[in-house]
Short mmCIF file of all heavy atoms in Angstrom, two decimals:
data_model
loop_
_atom_site.label_atom_id
_atom_site.label_comp_id
_atom_site.label_asym_id
_atom_site.label_seq_id
_atom_site.Cartn_x
_atom_site.Cartn_y
_atom_site.Cartn_z
N PHE A 75 10.74 8.38 -13.26
CA PHE A 75 10.95 9.43 -12.22
C PHE A 75 9.88 10.51 -12.31
O PHE A 75 9.47 10.97 -11.21
CB PHE A 75 12.31 10.06 -12.39
CG PHE A 75 13.45 9.31 -11.73
CD1 PHE A 75 14.31 8.55 -12.34
CD2 PHE A 75 13.36 9.38 -10.35
CE1 PHE A 75 15.36 7.91 -11.64
CE2 PHE A 75 14.45 8.73 -9.54
CZ PHE A 75 15.39 7.99 -10.27
N THR A 76 9.31 10.72 -13.43
CA THR A 76 8.12 11.69 -13.51
C THR A 76 7.01 11.05 -12.68
O THR A 76 6.28 11.81 -11.96
CB THR A 76 7.70 11.88 -14.97
OG1 THR A 76 8.82 12.47 -15.65
CG2 THR A 76 6.50 12.82 -15.09
N ASN A 77 6.78 9.77 -12.88
CA ASN A 77 5.72 9.10 -12.14
C ASN A 77 5.95 9.21 -10.64
O ASN A 77 5.07 9.45 -9.83
CB ASN A 77 5.66 7.72 -12.63
CG ASN A 77 4.53 6.85 -11.99
OD1 ASN A 77 3.40 7.42 -11.73
ND2 ASN A 77 4.68 5.60 -11.79
N LEU A 78 7.17 9.00 -10.21
CA LEU A 78 7.59 9.02 -8.86
C LEU A 78 7.36 10.47 -8.33
O LEU A 78 6.74 10.58 -7.25
CB LEU A 78 9.00 8.60 -8.66
CG LEU A 78 9.58 8.72 -7.23
CD1 LEU A 78 8.97 7.58 -6.34
CD2 LEU A 78 11.11 8.59 -7.28
N VAL A 79 7.74 11.48 -8.98
CA VAL A 79 7.52 12.84 -8.55
C VAL A 79 6.07 13.17 -8.45
O VAL A 79 5.56 13.82 -7.43
CB VAL A 79 8.22 13.78 -9.51
CG1 VAL A 79 7.78 15.24 -9.13
CG2 VAL A 79 9.67 13.63 -9.27
N LEU A 80 5.20 12.73 -9.38
CA LEU A 80 3.79 12.88 -9.29
C LEU A 80 3.17 12.14 -8.24
O LEU A 80 2.21 12.73 -7.62
CB LEU A 80 3.16 12.59 -10.66
CG LEU A 80 3.57 13.54 -11.84
CD1 LEU A 80 3.15 12.96 -13.25
CD2 LEU A 80 2.97 14.97 -11.65
N GLN A 81 3.61 10.97 -7.96
CA GLN A 81 3.10 10.21 -6.80
C GLN A 81 3.37 10.95 -5.51
O GLN A 81 2.51 11.09 -4.63
CB GLN A 81 3.71 8.85 -6.78
CG GLN A 81 3.29 7.91 -7.89
CD GLN A 81 1.89 7.41 -7.84
OE1 GLN A 81 1.15 7.66 -6.87
NE2 GLN A 81 1.41 6.63 -8.88
N LEU A 82 4.59 11.51 -5.39
CA LEU A 82 5.04 12.32 -4.22
C LEU A 82 4.05 13.51 -4.10
O LEU A 82 3.71 13.92 -3.02
CB LEU A 82 6.45 12.66 -4.24
CG LEU A 82 7.04 13.35 -3.02
CD1 LEU A 82 6.83 12.53 -1.87
CD2 LEU A 82 8.51 13.68 -3.35
N SER A 83 3.83 14.23 -5.24
CA SER A 83 2.98 15.40 -5.27
C SER A 83 1.50 15.05 -4.73
O SER A 83 0.96 15.77 -3.96
CB SER A 83 2.86 15.96 -6.61
OG SER A 83 4.18 16.32 -7.08
N LEU A 84 1.03 13.92 -5.25
CA LEU A 84 -0.25 13.43 -4.75
C LEU A 84 -0.25 13.19 -3.25
O LEU A 84 -1.24 13.52 -2.52
CB LEU A 84 -0.64 12.16 -5.52
CG LEU A 84 -1.21 12.35 -6.82
CD1 LEU A 84 -1.41 11.02 -7.62
CD2 LEU A 84 -2.62 13.06 -6.86
N LEU A 85 0.81 12.61 -2.66
CA LEU A 85 0.91 12.31 -1.37
C LEU A 85 0.78 13.69 -0.51
O LEU A 85 0.05 13.77 0.50
CB LEU A 85 2.15 11.60 -0.91
CG LEU A 85 2.43 11.27 0.55
CD1 LEU A 85 1.24 10.43 1.12
CD2 LEU A 85 3.78 10.58 0.77
N VAL A 86 1.54 14.66 -0.96
CA VAL A 86 1.51 16.05 -0.32
C VAL A 86 0.07 16.55 -0.46
O VAL A 86 -0.37 17.08 0.58
CB VAL A 86 2.58 16.93 -1.02
CG1 VAL A 86 2.47 18.36 -0.48
CG2 VAL A 86 3.97 16.43 -0.67
N LEU A 87 -0.52 16.49 -1.63
CA LEU A 87 -1.90 17.14 -1.77
C LEU A 87 -2.85 16.45 -0.91
O LEU A 87 -3.64 17.11 -0.22
CB LEU A 87 -2.28 16.98 -3.24
CG LEU A 87 -1.74 17.92 -4.27
CD1 LEU A 87 -2.10 17.63 -5.67
CD2 LEU A 87 -2.14 19.39 -3.85
N TRP A 88 -2.79 15.11 -0.82
CA TRP A 88 -3.81 14.46 0.00
C TRP A 88 -3.50 14.73 1.62
O TRP A 88 -4.43 14.90 2.39
CB TRP A 88 -3.72 12.86 -0.13
CG TRP A 88 -4.45 12.46 -1.38
CD1 TRP A 88 -3.94 11.77 -2.38
CD2 TRP A 88 -5.86 12.52 -1.71
NE1 TRP A 88 -4.84 11.57 -3.38
CE2 TRP A 88 -6.02 11.92 -2.98
CE3 TRP A 88 -6.93 13.07 -1.06
CZ2 TRP A 88 -7.26 11.83 -3.55
CZ3 TRP A 88 -8.15 12.96 -1.62
CH2 TRP A 88 -8.38 12.42 -2.96
N SER A 89 -2.22 14.92 1.85
CA SER A 89 -1.84 15.17 3.28
C SER A 89 -2.27 16.53 3.79
O SER A 89 -2.64 16.70 4.91
CB SER A 89 -0.37 15.07 3.38
OG SER A 89 0.16 13.77 3.13
N VAL A 90 -2.28 17.57 2.85
CA VAL A 90 -2.64 18.93 3.27
C VAL A 90 -4.11 19.24 3.02
O VAL A 90 -4.57 20.34 3.28
CB VAL A 90 -1.76 19.96 2.55
CG1 VAL A 90 -0.27 19.76 2.90
CG2 VAL A 90 -1.89 19.97 0.99
N SER A 91 -4.87 18.22 2.52
CA SER A 91 -6.31 18.46 2.23
C SER A 91 -7.14 17.43 3.06
O SER A 91 -7.76 16.59 2.39
CB SER A 91 -6.53 18.30 0.80
OG SER A 91 -5.71 19.15 0.06
N PRO A 92 -7.19 17.63 4.34
CA PRO A 92 -7.96 16.56 5.15
C PRO A 92 -9.53 16.59 4.82
O PRO A 92 -10.21 15.58 4.89
CB PRO A 92 -7.88 17.05 6.57
CG PRO A 92 -7.25 18.37 6.57
CD PRO A 92 -6.69 18.61 5.18
N SER A 93 -10.05 17.66 4.32
CA SER A 93 -11.52 17.75 4.03
C SER A 93 -11.71 16.97 2.62
O SER A 93 -12.97 16.62 2.43
CB SER A 93 -12.03 19.19 3.90
OG SER A 93 -11.32 19.84 2.83
N LEU A 94 -10.78 16.83 1.84
CA LEU A 94 -11.01 16.18 0.53
C LEU A 94 -10.61 14.66 0.48
O LEU A 94 -11.07 13.91 -0.36
CB LEU A 94 -10.18 16.88 -0.54
CG LEU A 94 -10.58 18.28 -0.88
CD1 LEU A 94 -9.65 18.88 -1.90
CD2 LEU A 94 -11.99 18.40 -1.29
N ARG A 95 -9.83 14.30 1.44
CA ARG A 95 -9.36 12.88 1.48
C ARG A 95 -10.27 11.82 2.10
O ARG A 95 -11.12 12.34 2.92
CB ARG A 95 -8.01 12.84 2.09
CG ARG A 95 -7.85 12.99 3.57
CD ARG A 95 -6.44 12.81 4.03
NE ARG A 95 -6.38 12.99 5.41
CZ ARG A 95 -5.50 13.94 5.97
NH1 ARG A 95 -4.63 14.52 5.22
NH2 ARG A 95 -5.57 14.12 7.18
N THR A 96 -10.21 10.61 1.83
CA THR A 96 -10.91 9.57 2.47
C THR A 96 -10.02 8.85 3.38
O THR A 96 -8.81 9.14 3.48
CB THR A 96 -11.46 8.58 1.40
OG1 THR A 96 -10.35 7.81 0.90
CG2 THR A 96 -12.18 9.23 0.32
N SER A 97 -10.56 7.92 4.09
CA SER A 97 -9.78 7.15 5.15
C SER A 97 -8.71 6.30 4.40
O SER A 97 -7.72 5.86 4.98
CB SER A 97 -10.62 6.23 5.93
OG SER A 97 -11.34 5.50 5.13
N ALA A 98 -8.83 6.06 3.10
CA ALA A 98 -7.90 5.21 2.29
C ALA A 98 -6.92 6.06 1.52
O ALA A 98 -6.00 5.51 0.81
CB ALA A 98 -8.64 4.27 1.52
N SER A 99 -7.06 7.37 1.42
CA SER A 99 -6.31 8.18 0.52
C SER A 99 -4.74 8.08 0.78
O SER A 99 -3.98 7.87 -0.12
CB SER A 99 -6.76 9.61 0.63
OG SER A 99 -8.00 9.76 0.11
N ILE A 100 -4.38 8.32 2.02
CA ILE A 100 -2.97 8.32 2.45
C ILE A 100 -2.40 6.91 2.30
O ILE A 100 -1.30 6.76 1.72
CB ILE A 100 -2.79 8.83 3.79
CG1 ILE A 100 -3.37 10.34 3.94
CG2 ILE A 100 -1.33 8.81 4.24
CD1 ILE A 100 -2.56 11.31 3.09
N PRO A 101 -3.00 5.82 2.76
CA PRO A 101 -2.42 4.52 2.57
C PRO A 101 -2.30 4.18 1.05
O PRO A 101 -1.30 3.61 0.63
CB PRO A 101 -3.44 3.51 3.22
CG PRO A 101 -4.08 4.43 4.25
CD PRO A 101 -4.23 5.80 3.67
N ALA A 102 -3.28 4.49 0.32
CA ALA A 102 -3.28 4.14 -1.17
C ALA A 102 -2.13 4.86 -1.89
O ALA A 102 -1.37 4.22 -2.62
CB ALA A 102 -4.60 4.48 -1.81
N ILE A 103 -2.03 6.21 -1.60
CA ILE A 103 -0.92 6.85 -2.29
C ILE A 103 0.42 6.56 -1.74
O ILE A 103 1.40 6.59 -2.52
CB ILE A 103 -1.23 8.43 -2.37
CG1 ILE A 103 -0.29 9.17 -3.29
CG2 ILE A 103 -1.05 9.04 -0.99
CD1 ILE A 103 -0.53 8.70 -4.79
N SER A 104 0.56 6.16 -0.47
CA SER A 104 1.86 5.77 0.05
C SER A 104 2.29 4.46 -0.50
O SER A 104 3.51 4.37 -0.93
CB SER A 104 1.76 5.54 1.59
OG SER A 104 1.37 6.78 2.20
N LEU A 105 1.38 3.59 -0.72
CA LEU A 105 1.75 2.28 -1.45
C LEU A 105 2.13 2.55 -2.91
O LEU A 105 3.00 1.94 -3.43
CB LEU A 105 0.61 1.28 -1.36
CG LEU A 105 0.54 0.55 0.00
CD1 LEU A 105 -0.80 -0.26 0.14
CD2 LEU A 105 1.65 -0.33 0.31
N SER A 106 1.35 3.38 -3.57
CA SER A 106 1.67 3.74 -4.89
C SER A 106 3.03 4.41 -4.99
O SER A 106 3.77 4.17 -6.04
CB SER A 106 0.59 4.71 -5.55
OG SER A 106 -0.57 4.03 -5.60
N LEU A 107 3.40 5.21 -4.05
CA LEU A 107 4.66 5.87 -4.08
C LEU A 107 5.75 4.82 -3.94
O LEU A 107 6.77 4.81 -4.66
CB LEU A 107 4.78 6.90 -2.99
CG LEU A 107 6.12 7.67 -2.78
CD1 LEU A 107 6.38 8.52 -4.08
CD2 LEU A 107 6.00 8.56 -1.55
N THR A 108 5.59 3.85 -3.00
CA THR A 108 6.52 2.76 -2.91
C THR A 108 6.70 1.98 -4.14
O THR A 108 7.77 1.55 -4.59
CB THR A 108 6.07 1.86 -1.72
OG1 THR A 108 5.93 2.65 -0.51
CG2 THR A 108 7.08 0.76 -1.40
#
Side-chain angles (χ1 to χ4, degrees):
F75 270 108
T76 300
N77 186 33
L78 178 69
V79 169
L80 291 169
Q81 294 285 357
L82 185 59
S83 300
L84 280 169
L85 179 61
V86 170
L87 283 171
W88 283 117
S89 297
V90 299
S91 306
S93 64
L94 296 177
R95 71 178 176 235
T96 68
S97 57
S99 297
I100 301 295
I103 195 62
S104 298
L105 284 170
S106 294
L107 182 64
T108 304

